Amino acid sequence: MVAPHPFDTVRESEVRLASKLVKDSHPASANVHFVQIDKLDPPKNDMKKYLEIERTGGKLPSIPRVLYAYYYTEETVFNKALVNVTVGHVITKTQLPKGVCGPLLPDDLNEWEVYCNNHPAVLAEIEKLKLPAGYSVRNDPWIYATDDINEKRPLCQFFMYVAAGNGHSESNHYSLPLKFSPVFECFTKKFIRMDYLPGGFDATLVPTQPWQEVRCVEYHPDLNGEDTTARDVKPLLITQPEGPSFTVDGSKVKWQGWEFRIATTAREGFAVYNVSFKGRQVFYRISLSEMTVPYGDPRAPYHRKQAFDLGDCGFGTNGNHLALGCDCLGVIKYMDGVGIHANGEPYVIPNTVCMHEQDNGLLYKHVNYRTGNSVLARKREFVVQTIATVANYEYIINLKFVTDGSIDIETRATGILSTMPIDENVRVPWGTIVGPNVMAAYHQHILSFRIDPSIDGHKNTVVYDDALKMPKDELNPFGIGFVSDRHYVEKAGHVDQSPFTNRTYKIINENVINPISKTPVGYKVEVPPRQMILADKDSFNVKRAKFATEAVWVTKYRDHELFAAGEFTNQSKSDTGLGVWANGVDDVRNEDLVLWATLGFTHIPRVEDFPVMPVETHNIHLQPVNFFDRNPALDLPQSNNAFNKSSLFESNKTSSSSGCCKTNL
Amino acid sequence: MVAPHPFDTVRESEVRLASKLVKDSHPASANVHFVQIDKLDPPKNDMKKYLEIERTGGKLPSIPRVLYAYYYTEETVFNKALVNVTVGHVITKTQLPKGVCGPLLPDDLNEWEVYCNNHPAVLAEIEKLKLPAGYSVRNDPWIYATDDINEKRPLCQFFMYVAAGNGHSESNHYSLPLKFSPVFECFTKKFIRMDYLPGGFDATLVPTQPWQEVRCVEYHPDLNGEDTTARDVKPLLITQPEGPSFTVDGSKVKWQGWEFRIATTAREGFAVYNVSFKGRQVFYRISLSEMTVPYGDPRAPYHRKQAFDLGDCGFGTNGNHLALGCDCLGVIKYMDGVGIHANGEPYVIPNTVCMHEQDNGLLYKHVNYRTGNSVLARKREFVVQTIATVANYEYIINLKFVTDGSIDIETRATGILSTMPIDENVRVPWGTIVGPNVMAAYHQHILSFRIDPSIDGHKNTVVYDDALKMPKDELNPFGIGFVSDRHYVEKAGHVDQSPFTNRTYKIINENVINPISKTPVGYKVEVPPRQMILADKDSFNVKRAKFATEAVWVTKYRDHELFAAGEFTNQSKSDTGLGVWANGVDDVRNEDLVLWATLGFTHIPRVEDFPVMPVETHNIHLQPVNFFDRNPALDLPQSNNAFNKSSLFESNKTSSSSGCCKTNL
């Protein structure tokens, strides 16, 4: 088997070796319990040389593959090791301070879920429900989050639900939330306490009562009572009889002038590396960096509902097994992820990333009205998709490469709302009633995308341009003039949002001037203006996720600074990421820098979002700005029906529509 | 032939009758010269009754078809007539005040273009260019716009260009703009004056000099020198072997629970009427209402560059002839438009609207992590598309109906930038150099979409909701709580933008309460927060287009109030639309109201936007909010590969990917 490329996904053999070396470095009595093992990114300075030789030819230097391992010893002692799996030795082993917790492992969650449901304290509460036959109790283990600076135990909160559907495995328990919620210590499985959930308009709690029968809002076709034939949906087939336009060689993908490498990762889902278009470097690395989901219901224990879907549980670890004709249409290339068991044994997460081409309407068109002749090209996109299920909720991340040199970073939120019990005839100002006696609290989804640019090289600058009206003077007598006003980001920090001056963020290379515009080459980063985190600036929600307070951040590049809220988010008390790195001190102009784009959306649930939510879609757009000397898509073949083979709707068969656009080609 | 439905597109026979009746009502000496004839919308009160009978059955009342005709008499006298073509008489004839101008007619523009190029004053300037062989001169007649309250003549400005390409009809003259620009009076063809265009960094003008040879940036495949085989684009076919899922009966379209009527119109391109989803009324009428494109170069004569692409020339009148496999992929239904000649004779604009289905990724998904079973449905859309070419520029309007009850109103801007000459080594703060000696001034595209709702009936209310943090108190001790704060629009006017409070605009029906949420049913109107018109508030640009100053407007419904900047925009001195109707007086709460959404984007041209511009896409989203009692797309069939017939990328053929998602169906 050929040696892996430095950017390749971690291999099972590498995980196996790393976990063995780590276990061997501890006495058996330590009971090494792994929670995450993955590859560390290679040092950028080494990779710059490597990639240059790769480009120009010559003997490639050997860059050791280094893995990190997060694991517990003595049940609650959290450790991190770095392992060189190329030569096979443990580089460092660190015992982390008490109170620092690692990400949760799916195996553990499944085990704890069963344990919780059978714990005497929980059984006692279930007893009080006096559930009728055909009903059972389920629980979702939930991130405990933070409300006490002194809490140092790794804890887990369990939200309890009734499962109806006469034992049908897919019955929607999220429709039937219960009012008690036990807290356990992880690993030791110590019962900490029983929390109770309010059902009224305030924080008042009541002891567990016999369960009142209420209709369960089901999503599964077996149970939802819908007639799926009523819509008469006809197939719409997407085929590529001559095969796709892309090639994949290991981690290397080539499509329509785009070239990049891709790796799946435990924490991010996937990352793309060394992205170039038409032979020019544009981005060194693009990935989802972190996501926080704070809830707006102020009542205990809901005030602790703040998930970090990457840091707390691993977006890749929770990646879906994508399936042909379901998650992806067309000719599909799949990539696998790698997960681990607590003993350090790896397993394959099949098809966690899918890649395919799609048509997205027109890319450009012009008709010469004098002759009626037109030029037009279709907008073809190459989509890299991953989907993660984090308990109740699904996130779809699509990285779309476009034939005009732009990249669209798309997030789709779907799945099932996190629900709370609510009493009959009660309404609350922080949530929507989405079903009988079930409430979905207002919350925010705040994602951070890490964009590590290499616009014609690694020395880049972030600028922002405002469109400003000109003063009314002799040059502008009619008061209609406006200009673009440029500002340079000199120090690591953030840029304020300013939609009403049309503020546009750009990454430019001041060392490369566009021969046409006579201005530095660059890429625009279109981040939609959004409400940022609503929580009080002194709240734990904000202290733990500084990235959620601003839309655009710039930091100086440093190896291993990948995660916007810091390396360890589970029960974190403070942000060790952007809050630290955006220090106002580092020079970032004409430097190797990183731009962090925060994509926030405040989610006020609709009844239509239940029992399963139609996608809410949000995009960040990367677009060349005065990077090329003209439209880089002029070389696309003209669109015509000999190529696209579309057909007429019956009643049109006799119409005047020609099979091709008028052109003089 | 069956009688037309009141919402049907105007018929050629109706146009012919109307123009005859108008001509007969004037002496032959009047030289009636038509510029626009189309159908007037039927009175809404009549249509409410009509549609109710249509729904419940019974004898349909006859609603007369009324056409409007805009025409000139005695060359420069502008008139408007209303004609009842059902009974066949002229209802009213009005001579409009001097200074009010009608829209420009394509026939006229073509005639004037030739006339201009052969006028002695123009030939004299061309002479001075001493053009080498193989070069000729072209011109684009341009909207004269406004800078003088006393100017009452219908004028036209001609922008002049050099055509290279050795006489190739598709050579891009926009790459070679000239520095003189004659102004003529329309119809009389009187030469008014010769304007000269600045080429430096200020308003300084120079007499016409011999033309300096400069490279023409070509877009046409014959001329642009691109290798269109380099990308190796493989076909991507979209087929519906069992036919499409929609039906079309006259103007009536049915698809996936959606029902509406559609008509093409001379001014708007098309409008949809009486839109319902799953049997419930949602919108009475949706259309593009107006668009203004003000430019930011303050120098004469550019200060007058402010186009109204609907009112000045007719978006439908300038509609493209869409072609199978070019503008639209899949199984396509086309609709024709109707244009007129100056003599009132109609002609067909073939295929000016296309309708088809498309796949847009996942609509919803959830995986039960306990069982690995998933439910998922694809997002199928029904697209109604039209494309207009307004001289150099193209606009694509897509109305997308989605299977979850939402509607996406998409605008794509493409075509060729309006260019100005610029001297070597000169830069200006209000424009981008996009080619050798050619500059594209910064400009804005500000569209108004008219949304006439009927959310479960015609008495609706516009509200806006802000997400606000709760005070830190005993109910919110951790400072993480937030609530939604509702405001009601009581009087005709506008709503301020407020993205940082997550301001969301909704049209609700206060008379219909959602049984689940216990709140009024409604639809959200997602208008992206944008910079509005930059021109000074006292400028003609703003006086003529009040709609461009605010993002969301609400007015009380009145028949024939369709166009945001008023009925006549060509050389208008002031806005007679929203500026008048949004009067702060009319009650609009729980009334028959209209919401006007302004979609603005400030366009700072990129070199990549030349010679033809990759689409810039902007969307307004209409989405049910607590309108249904659950996700209305639960009845969609589950997505699987037996249905979608996708295939694996070669290297995946042996992979673990199954042909279907895991489900227990």
Side-chain angles (χ1 to χ4, degrees), chain B residues 322-343:
Chain B
L322 305 179
L324 197 62
C326 302
D327 305 281
C328 345
L329 302 191
V331 178
I332 314 299
K333 165 66 181 176
Y334 289 101
M335 291 184 64
D336 298 336
V338 178
I340 65 155
H341 298 294
N343 62 4

PDB file of all heavy atoms in Angstrom, chain B residues 322-343:
ATOM      1  N   LEU B 322     -36.950  31.724 -24.969  1.00  0.00           N
ATOM      2  CA  LEU B 322     -36.201  30.691 -24.250  1.00  0.00           C
ATOM      3  C   LEU B 322     -36.139  29.424 -25.082  1.00  0.00           C
ATOM      4  O   LEU B 322     -37.043  29.129 -25.865  1.00  0.00           O
ATOM      5  CB  LEU B 322     -36.841  30.440 -22.890  1.00  0.00           C
ATOM      6  CG  LEU B 322     -36.992  31.696 -22.024  1.00  0.00           C
ATOM      7  CD1 LEU B 322     -37.657  31.365 -20.703  1.00  0.00           C
ATOM      8  CD2 LEU B 322     -35.648  32.364 -21.800  1.00  0.00           C
ATOM      9  N   ALA B 323     -35.054  28.687 -24.908  1.00  0.00           N
ATOM     10  CA  ALA B 323     -34.834  27.530 -25.772  1.00  0.00           C
ATOM     11  C   ALA B 323     -34.518  26.279 -24.962  1.00  0.00           C
ATOM     12  O   ALA B 323     -33.839  26.330 -23.939  1.00  0.00           O
ATOM     13  CB  ALA B 323     -33.716  27.820 -26.754  1.00  0.00           C
ATOM     14  N   LEU B 324     -35.049  25.187 -25.463  1.00  0.00           N
ATOM     15  CA  LEU B 324     -34.908  23.882 -24.834  1.00  0.00           C
ATOM     16  C   LEU B 324     -33.430  23.487 -24.735  1.00  0.00           C
ATOM     17  O   LEU B 324     -32.685  23.612 -25.697  1.00  0.00           O
ATOM     18  CB  LEU B 324     -35.667  22.859 -25.674  1.00  0.00           C
ATOM     19  CG  LEU B 324     -36.017  21.522 -25.046  1.00  0.00           C
ATOM     20  CD1 LEU B 324     -36.934  21.708 -23.849  1.00  0.00           C
ATOM     21  CD2 LEU B 324     -36.684  20.631 -26.094  1.00  0.00           C
ATOM     22  N   GLY B 325     -33.037  23.043 -23.539  1.00  0.00           N
ATOM     23  CA  GLY B 325     -31.666  22.576 -23.353  1.00  0.00           C
ATOM     24  C   GLY B 325     -30.669  23.717 -23.238  1.00  0.00           C
ATOM     25  O   GLY B 325     -29.473  23.472 -23.114  1.00  0.00           O
ATOM     26  N   CYS B 326     -31.159  24.952 -23.310  1.00  0.00           N
ATOM     27  CA  CYS B 326     -30.260  26.098 -23.138  1.00  0.00           C
ATOM     28  C   CYS B 326     -30.611  26.812 -21.843  1.00  0.00           C
ATOM     29  O   CYS B 326     -29.896  26.733 -20.870  1.00  0.00           O
ATOM     30  CB  CYS B 326     -30.408  27.053 -24.311  1.00  0.00           C
ATOM     31  SG  CYS B 326     -30.072  26.276 -25.886  1.00  0.00           S
ATOM     32  N   ASP B 327     -31.784  27.466 -21.866  1.00  0.00           N
ATOM     33  CA  ASP B 327     -32.220  28.229 -20.699  1.00  0.00           C
ATOM     34  C   ASP B 327     -32.880  27.330 -19.660  1.00  0.00           C
ATOM     35  O   ASP B 327     -33.032  27.732 -18.505  1.00  0.00           O
ATOM     36  CB  ASP B 327     -33.225  29.296 -21.135  1.00  0.00           C
ATOM     37  CG  ASP B 327     -32.664  30.187 -22.232  1.00  0.00           C
ATOM     38  OD1 ASP B 327     -31.877  31.089 -21.907  1.00  0.00           O
ATOM     39  OD2 ASP B 327     -32.975  29.937 -23.416  1.00  0.00           O
ATOM     40  N   CYS B 328     -33.315  26.157 -20.085  1.00  0.00           N
ATOM     41  CA  CYS B 328     -34.111  25.307 -19.201  1.00  0.00           C
ATOM     42  C   CYS B 328     -33.779  23.847 -19.492  1.00  0.00           C
ATOM     43  O   CYS B 328     -33.767  23.441 -20.645  1.00  0.00           O
ATOM     44  CB  CYS B 328     -35.606  25.538 -19.422  1.00  0.00           C
ATOM     45  SG  CYS B 328     -36.027  27.035 -20.343  1.00  0.00           S
ATOM     46  N   LEU B 329     -33.528  23.074 -18.440  1.00  0.00           N
ATOM     47  CA  LEU B 329     -33.269  21.633 -18.585  1.00  0.00           C
ATOM     48  C   LEU B 329     -34.412  20.833 -17.979  1.00  0.00           C
ATOM     49  O   LEU B 329     -35.004  21.246 -16.986  1.00  0.00           O
ATOM     50  CB  LEU B 329     -31.967  21.235 -17.886  1.00  0.00           C
ATOM     51  CG  LEU B 329     -30.672  21.927 -18.305  1.00  0.00           C
ATOM     52  CD1 LEU B 329     -29.480  21.209 -17.695  1.00  0.00           C
ATOM     53  CD2 LEU B 329     -30.537  22.017 -19.810  1.00  0.00           C
ATOM     54  N   GLY B 330     -34.693  19.677 -18.584  1.00  0.00           N
ATOM     55  CA  GLY B 330     -35.731  18.783 -18.073  1.00  0.00           C
ATOM     56  C   GLY B 330     -36.880  18.695 -19.058  1.00  0.00           C
ATOM     57  O   GLY B 330     -36.687  18.784 -20.264  1.00  0.00           O
ATOM     58  N   VAL B 331     -38.080  18.521 -18.521  1.00  0.00           N
ATOM     59  CA  VAL B 331     -39.287  18.519 -19.356  1.00  0.00           C
ATOM     60  C   VAL B 331     -39.922  19.901 -19.209  1.00  0.00           C
ATOM     61  O   VAL B 331     -40.348  20.275 -18.121  1.00  0.00           O
ATOM     62  CB  VAL B 331     -40.278  17.424 -18.930  1.00  0.00           C
ATOM     63  CG1 VAL B 331     -41.543  17.489 -19.777  1.00  0.00           C
ATOM     64  CG2 VAL B 331     -39.625  16.051 -19.038  1.00  0.00           C
ATOM     65  N   ILE B 332     -39.940  20.638 -20.312  1.00  0.00           N
ATOM     66  CA  ILE B 332     -40.226  22.067 -20.242  1.00  0.00           C
ATOM     67  C   ILE B 332     -41.567  22.433 -20.860  1.00  0.00           C
ATOM     68  O   ILE B 332     -41.891  22.013 -21.976  1.00  0.00           O
ATOM     69  CB  ILE B 332     -39.134  22.876 -20.976  1.00  0.00           C
ATOM     70  CG1 ILE B 332     -37.743  22.384 -20.601  1.00  0.00           C
ATOM     71  CG2 ILE B 332     -39.314  24.364 -20.698  1.00  0.00           C
ATOM     72  CD1 ILE B 332     -37.401  22.503 -19.137  1.00  0.00           C
ATOM     73  N   LYS B 333     -42.345  23.219 -20.135  1.00  0.00           N
ATOM     74  CA  LYS B 333     -43.555  23.837 -20.672  1.00  0.00           C
ATOM     75  C   LYS B 333     -43.259  25.308 -20.933  1.00  0.00           C
ATOM     76  O   LYS B 333     -42.748  26.005 -20.048  1.00  0.00           O
ATOM     77  CB  LYS B 333     -44.704  23.704 -19.670  1.00  0.00           C
ATOM     78  CG  LYS B 333     -45.904  24.601 -19.934  1.00  0.00           C
ATOM     79  CD  LYS B 333     -46.625  24.246 -21.233  1.00  0.00           C
ATOM     80  CE  LYS B 333     -47.806  25.198 -21.464  1.00  0.00           C
ATOM     81  NZ  LYS B 333     -48.453  24.922 -22.772  1.00  0.00           N
ATOM     82  N   TYR B 334     -43.525  25.756 -22.149  1.00  0.00           N
ATOM     83  CA  TYR B 334     -43.271  27.151 -22.505  1.00  0.00           C
ATOM     84  C   TYR B 334     -44.569  27.931 -22.616  1.00  0.00           C
ATOM     85  O   TYR B 334     -45.624  27.366 -22.917  1.00  0.00           O
ATOM     86  CB  TYR B 334     -42.531  27.237 -23.845  1.00  0.00           C
ATOM     87  CG  TYR B 334     -41.096  26.778 -23.779  1.00  0.00           C
ATOM     88  CD1 TYR B 334     -40.724  25.517 -24.219  1.00  0.00           C
ATOM     89  CD2 TYR B 334     -40.107  27.606 -23.247  1.00  0.00           C
ATOM     90  CE1 TYR B 334     -39.408  25.086 -24.152  1.00  0.00           C
ATOM     91  CE2 TYR B 334     -38.784  27.184 -23.176  1.00  0.00           C
ATOM     92  CZ  TYR B 334     -38.443  25.926 -23.635  1.00  0.00           C
ATOM     93  OH  TYR B 334     -37.137  25.504 -23.560  1.00  0.00           O
ATOM     94  N   MET B 335     -44.454  29.227 -22.375  1.00  0.00           N
ATOM     95  CA  MET B 335     -45.573  30.137 -22.623  1.00  0.00           C
ATOM     96  C   MET B 335     -45.075  31.315 -23.442  1.00  0.00           C
ATOM     97  O   MET B 335     -43.929  31.742 -23.286  1.00  0.00           O
ATOM     98  CB  MET B 335     -46.160  30.646 -21.307  1.00  0.00           C
ATOM     99  CG  MET B 335     -46.886  29.582 -20.515  1.00  0.00           C
ATOM    100  SD  MET B 335     -47.642  30.305 -19.043  1.00  0.00           S
ATOM    101  CE  MET B 335     -48.834  31.413 -19.804  1.00  0.00           C
ATOM    102  N   ASP B 336     -45.943  31.836 -24.285  1.00  0.00           N
ATOM    103  CA  ASP B 336     -45.574  32.947 -25.161  1.00  0.00           C
ATOM    104  C   ASP B 336     -46.014  34.280 -24.580  1.00  0.00           C
ATOM    105  O   ASP B 336     -46.958  34.347 -23.791  1.00  0.00           O
ATOM    106  CB  ASP B 336     -46.212  32.763 -26.552  1.00  0.00           C
ATOM    107  CG  ASP B 336     -45.729  31.497 -27.243  1.00  0.00           C
ATOM    108  OD1 ASP B 336     -44.623  31.022 -26.888  1.00  0.00           O
ATOM    109  OD2 ASP B 336     -46.457  30.977 -28.116  1.00  0.00           O
ATOM    110  N   GLY B 337     -45.352  35.323 -24.988  1.00  0.00           N
ATOM    111  CA  GLY B 337     -45.768  36.681 -24.667  1.00  0.00           C
ATOM    112  C   GLY B 337     -46.336  37.342 -25.918  1.00  0.00           C
ATOM    113  O   GLY B 337     -46.299  36.780 -27.003  1.00  0.00           O
ATOM    114  N   VAL B 338     -46.858  38.542 -25.742  1.00  0.00           N
ATOM    115  CA  VAL B 338     -47.423  39.290 -26.867  1.00  0.00           C
ATOM    116  C   VAL B 338     -46.803  40.688 -26.910  1.00  0.00           C
ATOM    117  O   VAL B 338     -46.867  41.425 -25.922  1.00  0.00           O
ATOM    118  CB  VAL B 338     -48.963  39.407 -26.750  1.00  0.00           C
ATOM    119  CG1 VAL B 338     -49.526  40.242 -27.901  1.00  0.00           C
ATOM    120  CG2 VAL B 338     -49.607  38.029 -26.717  1.00  0.00           C
ATOM    121  N   GLY B 339     -46.172  41.000 -28.028  1.00  0.00           N
ATOM    122  CA  GLY B 339     -45.622  42.344 -28.227  1.00  0.00           C
ATOM    123  C   GLY B 339     -46.444  43.077 -29.270  1.00  0.00           C
ATOM    124  O   GLY B 339     -47.351  42.497 -29.880  1.00  0.00           O
ATOM    125  N   ILE B 340     -46.145  44.346 -29.477  1.00  0.00           N
ATOM    126  CA  ILE B 340     -46.862  45.110 -30.511  1.00  0.00           C
ATOM    127  C   ILE B 340     -45.889  45.914 -31.371  1.00  0.00           C
ATOM    128  O   ILE B 340     -44.785  46.249 -30.946  1.00  0.00           O
ATOM    129  CB  ILE B 340     -47.898  46.093 -29.905  1.00  0.00           C
ATOM    130  CG1 ILE B 340     -47.183  47.172 -29.072  1.00  0.00           C
ATOM    131  CG2 ILE B 340     -48.949  45.372 -29.097  1.00  0.00           C
ATOM    132  CD1 ILE B 340     -47.960  48.458 -28.955  1.00  0.00           C
ATOM    133  N   HIS B 341     -46.359  46.192 -32.575  1.00  0.00           N
ATOM    134  CA  HIS B 341     -45.694  47.150 -33.449  1.00  0.00           C
ATOM    135  C   HIS B 341     -46.361  48.507 -33.256  1.00  0.00           C
ATOM    136  O   HIS B 341     -47.455  48.601 -32.691  1.00  0.00           O
ATOM    137  CB  HIS B 341     -45.812  46.697 -34.905  1.00  0.00           C
ATOM    138  CG  HIS B 341     -45.156  45.376 -35.168  1.00  0.00           C
ATOM    139  ND1 HIS B 341     -43.799  45.184 -35.069  1.00  0.00           N
ATOM    140  CD2 HIS B 341     -45.690  44.177 -35.508  1.00  0.00           C
ATOM    141  CE1 HIS B 341     -43.507  43.922 -35.350  1.00  0.00           C
ATOM    142  NE2 HIS B 341     -44.642  43.287 -35.602  1.00  0.00           N
ATOM    143  N   ALA B 342     -45.704  49.548 -33.769  1.00  0.00           N
ATOM    144  CA  ALA B 342     -46.203  50.915 -33.586  1.00  0.00           C
ATOM    145  C   ALA B 342     -47.615  51.089 -34.152  1.00  0.00           C
ATOM    146  O   ALA B 342     -48.403  51.893 -33.674  1.00  0.00           O
ATOM    147  CB  ALA B 342     -45.246  51.909 -34.225  1.00  0.00           C
ATOM    148  N   ASN B 343     -47.958  50.289 -35.142  1.00  0.00           N
ATOM    149  CA  ASN B 343     -49.292  50.407 -35.758  1.00  0.00           C
ATOM    150  C   ASN B 343     -50.356  49.638 -34.974  1.00  0.00           C
ATOM    151  O   ASN B 343     -51.494  49.543 -35.399  1.00  0.00           O
ATOM    152  CB  ASN B 343     -49.242  49.917 -37.215  1.00  0.00           C
ATOM    153  CG  ASN B 343     -48.858  48.440 -37.306  1.00  0.00           C
ATOM    154  OD1 ASN B 343     -48.698  47.769 -36.282  1.00  0.00           O
ATOM    155  ND2 ASN B 343     -48.690  47.952 -38.506  1.00  0.00           N
TER     156      ASN B 343
END
